[in-house]
Structures are given as structure tokens and as C-alpha cells.
Short mmCIF file of all heavy atoms in Angstrom, two decimals:
data_model
loop_
_atom_site.label_atom_id
_atom_site.label_comp_id
_atom_site.label_asym_id
_atom_site.label_seq_id
_atom_site.Cartn_x
_atom_site.Cartn_y
_atom_site.Cartn_z
N VAL A 1 0.84 -1.21 0.00
CA VAL A 1 0.00 0.00 0.00
C VAL A 1 0.87 1.25 0.00
O VAL A 1 0.57 2.23 -0.71
CB VAL A 1 -0.96 -0.01 1.21
CG1 VAL A 1 -1.63 1.35 1.38
CG2 VAL A 1 -2.01 -1.09 1.04
N LEU A 2 1.95 1.24 0.77
CA LEU A 2 2.85 2.39 0.81
C LEU A 2 3.42 2.70 -0.58
O LEU A 2 3.39 3.86 -1.04
CB LEU A 2 3.99 2.15 1.79
CG LEU A 2 3.73 2.40 3.27
CD1 LEU A 2 5.00 2.12 4.07
CD2 LEU A 2 3.28 3.84 3.51
N LEU A 3 3.92 1.68 -1.25
CA LEU A 3 4.57 1.92 -2.54
C LEU A 3 3.55 2.20 -3.64
O LEU A 3 3.82 3.00 -4.54
CB LEU A 3 5.44 0.72 -2.92
CG LEU A 3 6.70 0.54 -2.06
CD1 LEU A 3 7.53 -0.62 -2.57
CD2 LEU A 3 7.53 1.81 -2.04
N VAL A 4 2.40 1.57 -3.59
CA VAL A 4 1.36 1.86 -4.58
C VAL A 4 0.88 3.29 -4.42
O VAL A 4 0.69 4.03 -5.40
CB VAL A 4 0.19 0.87 -4.46
CG1 VAL A 4 -1.01 1.35 -5.27
CG2 VAL A 4 0.62 -0.51 -4.94
N SER A 5 0.68 3.72 -3.17
CA SER A 5 0.27 5.11 -2.92
C SER A 5 1.32 6.09 -3.44
O SER A 5 0.98 7.12 -4.04
CB SER A 5 0.04 5.32 -1.43
OG SER A 5 -0.93 4.43 -0.92
N THR A 6 2.57 5.75 -3.23
CA THR A 6 3.65 6.61 -3.73
C THR A 6 3.64 6.67 -5.26
O THR A 6 3.81 7.74 -5.85
CB THR A 6 5.01 6.07 -3.26
OG1 THR A 6 5.01 5.98 -1.84
CG2 THR A 6 6.13 6.98 -3.71
N ALA A 7 3.42 5.51 -5.89
CA ALA A 7 3.37 5.49 -7.36
C ALA A 7 2.21 6.34 -7.88
O ALA A 7 2.35 7.04 -8.89
CB ALA A 7 3.22 4.05 -7.84
N LEU A 8 1.09 6.30 -7.18
CA LEU A 8 -0.06 7.10 -7.60
C LEU A 8 0.22 8.59 -7.47
O LEU A 8 -0.15 9.40 -8.33
CB LEU A 8 -1.29 6.72 -6.78
CG LEU A 8 -1.87 5.32 -7.04
CD1 LEU A 8 -2.94 4.99 -6.02
CD2 LEU A 8 -2.42 5.23 -8.45
N VAL A 9 0.88 8.96 -6.37
CA VAL A 9 1.19 10.37 -6.15
C VAL A 9 2.21 10.87 -7.17
O VAL A 9 2.10 11.98 -7.71
CB VAL A 9 1.72 10.58 -4.71
CG1 VAL A 9 2.25 11.99 -4.53
CG2 VAL A 9 0.60 10.31 -3.70
N GLN A 10 3.22 10.05 -7.46
CA GLN A 10 4.28 10.47 -8.36
C GLN A 10 3.87 10.45 -9.83
O GLN A 10 4.56 10.98 -10.67
CB GLN A 10 5.50 9.55 -8.16
CG GLN A 10 6.16 9.73 -6.81
CD GLN A 10 7.37 8.84 -6.64
OE1 GLN A 10 7.63 7.97 -7.46
NE2 GLN A 10 8.12 9.06 -5.58
N ASN A 11 2.75 9.84 -10.14
CA ASN A 11 2.31 9.73 -11.54
C ASN A 11 0.89 10.28 -11.69
O ASN A 11 -0.06 9.52 -11.90
CB ASN A 11 2.38 8.28 -12.01
CG ASN A 11 3.77 7.70 -11.92
OD1 ASN A 11 4.66 8.11 -12.64
ND2 ASN A 11 3.98 6.79 -11.01
N ARG A 12 0.76 11.55 -11.51
CA ARG A 12 -0.57 12.17 -11.58
C ARG A 12 -1.11 12.25 -13.00
O ARG A 12 -2.27 12.59 -13.20
CB ARG A 12 -0.50 13.57 -10.98
CG ARG A 12 -0.20 13.55 -9.49
CD ARG A 12 -0.21 14.92 -8.89
NE ARG A 12 0.07 14.86 -7.47
CZ ARG A 12 0.15 15.92 -6.67
NH1 ARG A 12 -0.04 17.13 -7.17
NH2 ARG A 12 0.40 15.76 -5.39
N GLN A 13 -0.30 11.94 -13.98
CA GLN A 13 -0.76 11.95 -15.36
C GLN A 13 -1.82 10.88 -15.61
O GLN A 13 -2.49 10.91 -16.65
CB GLN A 13 0.41 11.71 -16.33
CG GLN A 13 1.41 12.84 -16.35
CD GLN A 13 2.52 12.62 -15.35
OE1 GLN A 13 2.31 11.96 -14.33
NE2 GLN A 13 3.68 13.16 -15.63
N ARG A 14 -1.96 9.93 -14.69
CA ARG A 14 -2.93 8.86 -14.88
C ARG A 14 -4.35 9.28 -14.53
O ARG A 14 -5.25 8.46 -14.57
CB ARG A 14 -2.53 7.67 -14.01
CG ARG A 14 -1.27 6.99 -14.45
CD ARG A 14 -1.11 5.66 -13.77
NE ARG A 14 -1.09 5.81 -12.32
CZ ARG A 14 0.01 5.94 -11.60
NH1 ARG A 14 1.17 5.98 -12.21
NH2 ARG A 14 -0.05 6.05 -10.31
N LYS A 15 -4.57 10.56 -14.15
CA LYS A 15 -5.91 10.99 -13.75
C LYS A 15 -6.90 10.87 -14.90
O LYS A 15 -8.07 10.58 -14.71
CB LYS A 15 -5.85 12.44 -13.25
CG LYS A 15 -5.24 12.57 -11.87
CD LYS A 15 -5.28 14.01 -11.41
CE LYS A 15 -4.70 14.15 -10.01
NZ LYS A 15 -4.73 15.56 -9.55
N ASN A 16 -6.45 11.13 -16.13
CA ASN A 16 -7.32 11.10 -17.30
C ASN A 16 -7.19 9.75 -18.00
O ASN A 16 -6.65 9.68 -19.09
CB ASN A 16 -6.95 12.21 -18.28
CG ASN A 16 -7.93 13.34 -18.23
OD1 ASN A 16 -9.05 13.16 -17.82
ND2 ASN A 16 -7.49 14.50 -18.66
N LEU A 17 -7.67 8.68 -17.41
CA LEU A 17 -7.49 7.35 -17.99
C LEU A 17 -8.24 7.21 -19.31
O LEU A 17 -7.80 6.46 -20.19
CB LEU A 17 -8.01 6.29 -17.00
CG LEU A 17 -7.16 6.08 -15.74
CD1 LEU A 17 -7.79 5.05 -14.86
CD2 LEU A 17 -5.75 5.69 -16.11
N GLU A 18 -9.36 7.92 -19.47
CA GLU A 18 -10.11 7.78 -20.71
C GLU A 18 -9.38 8.37 -21.90
O GLU A 18 -9.64 8.02 -23.05
CB GLU A 18 -11.48 8.47 -20.58
CG GLU A 18 -11.42 9.99 -20.40
CD GLU A 18 -11.18 10.40 -18.95
OE1 GLU A 18 -10.99 9.49 -18.12
OE2 GLU A 18 -11.20 11.60 -18.68
N ALA A 19 -8.39 9.27 -21.66
CA ALA A 19 -7.64 9.87 -22.76
C ALA A 19 -6.37 9.12 -23.10
O ALA A 19 -5.70 9.45 -24.06
CB ALA A 19 -7.30 11.33 -22.43
N LEU A 20 -6.05 8.07 -22.31
CA LEU A 20 -4.76 7.38 -22.50
C LEU A 20 -4.62 6.67 -23.84
O LEU A 20 -3.54 6.72 -24.42
CB LEU A 20 -4.55 6.38 -21.36
CG LEU A 20 -4.21 7.02 -20.02
CD1 LEU A 20 -4.08 5.94 -18.97
CD2 LEU A 20 -2.93 7.82 -20.11
N PRO A 21 -5.66 6.01 -24.40
CA PRO A 21 -5.43 5.31 -25.67
C PRO A 21 -4.93 6.20 -26.79
O PRO A 21 -4.15 5.78 -27.62
CB PRO A 21 -6.81 4.73 -25.98
CG PRO A 21 -7.44 4.56 -24.64
CD PRO A 21 -6.95 5.70 -23.82
N GLU A 22 -5.36 7.49 -26.81
CA GLU A 22 -4.90 8.39 -27.86
C GLU A 22 -3.49 8.90 -27.61
O GLU A 22 -2.77 9.26 -28.53
CB GLU A 22 -5.84 9.59 -27.98
CG GLU A 22 -7.22 9.25 -28.55
CD GLU A 22 -8.11 8.60 -27.52
OE1 GLU A 22 -7.76 8.66 -26.33
OE2 GLU A 22 -9.15 8.02 -27.89
N ASN A 23 -3.08 8.96 -26.33
CA ASN A 23 -1.81 9.61 -26.00
C ASN A 23 -0.76 8.63 -25.47
O ASN A 23 0.25 9.04 -24.94
CB ASN A 23 -2.03 10.70 -24.94
CG ASN A 23 -2.99 11.77 -25.42
OD1 ASN A 23 -2.99 12.11 -26.60
ND2 ASN A 23 -3.83 12.26 -24.53
N VAL A 24 -1.04 7.33 -25.59
CA VAL A 24 -0.13 6.34 -25.01
C VAL A 24 1.28 6.48 -25.53
O VAL A 24 2.25 6.37 -24.80
CB VAL A 24 -0.69 4.92 -25.26
CG1 VAL A 24 0.41 3.91 -25.38
CG2 VAL A 24 -1.60 4.53 -24.13
N SER A 25 1.43 6.71 -26.83
CA SER A 25 2.76 6.74 -27.43
C SER A 25 3.57 7.94 -27.00
O SER A 25 4.79 7.94 -27.11
CB SER A 25 2.64 6.73 -28.95
OG SER A 25 1.91 7.88 -29.38
#
């Protein structure tokens, strides 16, 4: 939980998951 929480905080770009297929590359 500690490391997953850290990964979530450090990678805030994942907030828009619905836009990821267009911008994955």
C-alpha cells in the first residue's frame, strides 16, 4: 500500500485514464 500510494502520487498523469489510448505513445 505504501509503494502503490507513492506510485499514484508520483504519476498524476494517470488521472485522465479515458484519454490514455490516444496519448499512449
